[in-house]
Amino acid sequence: MTEKAPGRVTRIARAAWRAEVGVWQSLYRWLFRRPRVPTGASAFAYHSPIMTILVIFIVLSAVEIPIVDLIVHQWPWVRIPLLALGIWGVTWMLGLLLGYLTRPHAVGPDGIRARLGTDLDIDMPWEAVASVERSRDVTEKAPKIRDEAHGRTLAIRIADETNILVMLEHPVITQVSGEPAELDAVRLWVDDPDGFMSAVRTHIP
């Protein structure tokens, strides 16, 4: 059934609001050194494949602000909105990057937390985890959730790639981009897969 226009607009507005709030939360967590890692858990980064391009975009956007301001300096009615928009854009991209830095994947006594900045936070307690293995998967333009041999799988891709597969004992219902989803497995990218697997083995022999 095709989604009605008002419902689509509402869903997009909610997603935009969550993203905006997440940006400012990430800035706060970075400034006050409060990464979102459960007590006793080990943190695992996942941002290295996209770090360079994000930094380039942030730097170029920051350089663009004074250039545009110089061009439109004589027209205050144009200058002020463009200046505000430019500063907001840089802040938003910086918050996006900091979302990855302050919300890493986590492996701890309570289970695995798989993240993607402020957009995804999947809680997988150990009693729901059947197995964890290294499994490289590269897929372009694929949906976040798709049916695979082991069931309905969420792929948290970084640069279209994942390298860890978590299979679940039973379906887990969680929030994916603000909508409930039932999952049988989760794929994710970890910068240090060896360390991640070592941390997992301390809880799953």
Side-chain angles (χ1 to χ4, degrees):
M1 182 180 295
T2 304
E3 185 180 8
K4 293 182 178 180
R8 190 183 307 115
V9 170
T10 300
R11 179 172 55 81
I12 293 172
R14 286 176 179 172
W17 175 250
R18 287 196 305 271
E20 188 69 27
V21 171
V23 162
W24 294 102
Q25 287 177 339
S26 298
L27 287 166
Y28 165 81
R29 287 185 177 278
W30 181 77
L31 284 172
F32 292 95
R33 300 179 182 274
R34 297 184 63 182
R36 194 170 183 178
V37 180
T39 303
S42 299
F44 293 93
Y46 51 84
H47 61 270
S48 65
I50 57 175
M51 181 71 168
T52 300
I53 192 165
L54 283 176
V55 171
I56 289 173
F57 271 114
I58 291 170
V59 171
L60 289 178
S61 297
V63 170
E64 187 180 59
I65 292 174
I67 294 175
V68 172
D69 186 64
L70 182 63
I71 294 172
V72 300
H73 188 78
Q74 58 183 320
W75 303 298
W77 59 276
V78 175
R79 178 193 179 201
I80 293 174
L82 288 180
L83 185 62
L85 183 63
I87 293 173
W88 174 83
V90 172
T91 303
W92 199 93
M93 286 189 289
L94 183 60
L96 177 67
L97 172 60
L98 295 178
Y100 296 147
L101 300 180
T102 60
R103 289 173 172 83
H105 299 315
V107 178
D110 296 327
I112 299 172
R113 298 292 289 271
R115 271 79 173 260
L116 183 61
T118 61
D119 187 45
L120 287 172
D121 189 347
I122 311 301
D123 184 14
M124 295 175 281
W126 292 120
E127 58 267 23
V129 175
S131 65
V132 183
E133 63 185 64
R134 296 187 64 163
S135 175
R136 188 169 181 265
D137 180 75
V138 182
T139 309
E140 295 183 7
K141 298 180 181 179
K144 286 182 180 179
I145 300 175
R146 66 181 182 182
D147 291 325
E148 298 187 15
H150 40 263
R152 193 165 170 79
T153 304
L154 167 68
I156 308 176
R157 302 181 186 91
I158 297 295
D160 298 320
E161 188 171 354
T162 61
N163 56 7
I164 297 290
L165 172 62
V166 182
M167 288 187 282
L168 303 172
E169 288 279 4
H170 53 78
V172 170
I173 297 177
T174 186
Q175 291 289 314
V176 176
S177 300
E179 299 291 333
E182 187 176 279
L183 306 175
D184 299 296
V186 175
R187 290 187 179 275
L188 58 140
W189 170 268
V190 182
D191 291 346
D192 178 17
D194 290 334
F196 186 90
M197 292 302 300
S198 178
V200 168
R201 283 192 289 269
T202 64
H203 302 281
I204 298 181

